[in-house]
Amino acid sequence: MKEWYEINFEKIKTLTLLVWEKFKAFWFVIALPWLKNITPKKAIMILGIAFVAGILFIALMFFILSFGLPTVESLKDYKPSQGTLILAEDGK
């Protein structure tokens, strides 16, 4: 009788081998031929597109995350509540 960990190990081993085979197929069929045909001009263009996409992503995240922030005017009159009150034994 197989123990539960032996069954899980076999499933993990099977899944790992399947993923490895898919990765090898992708790498040798798609990635390597594409990388062999890349020129310096194409590489610079890809880097430029990645740079612009990164800048757009950062700007979009800044825009999305800034919706919940308070206005500057409301921060001028900000009075935070007391966080911790420490009293002596006599209550002072």
Side-chain angles (χ1 to χ4, degrees):
M1 178 176 174
K2 287 189 173 184
E3 297 293 329
W4 65 269
Y5 54 84
E6 291 174 354
I7 295 170
N8 287 339
F9 179 74
E10 288 300 320
K11 288 180 183 178
I12 292 171
K13 181 180 174 185
T14 304
L15 182 62
T16 304
L17 289 174
L18 177 69
V19 169
W20 176 248
E21 291 301 320
K22 295 285 185 183
F23 173 76
K24 282 190 335 186
F26 164 78
W27 182 254
F28 288 114
V29 174
I30 296 172
L32 275 181
W34 184 81
L35 286 173
K36 287 180 182 178
N37 292 330
I38 198 165
T39 62
K41 184 177 178 181
K42 286 181 183 177
I44 290 172
M45 187 171 60
I46 291 169
L47 288 174
I49 291 170
F51 178 75
V52 170
I55 296 296
L56 288 175
F57 177 75
I58 290 170
L60 179 67
M61 291 306 295
F62 179 78
F63 182 71
I64 290 172
L65 295 175
S66 67
F67 274 116
L69 297 176
T71 62
V72 176
E73 290 79 24
S74 69
L75 291 177
K76 289 180 182 176
D77 299 324
Y78 178 67
K79 297 195 178 21
S81 61
Q82 186 175 10
T84 303
L85 179 63
I86 299 176
L87 300 174
E89 191 174 350
D90 61 356
K92 293 184 182 180

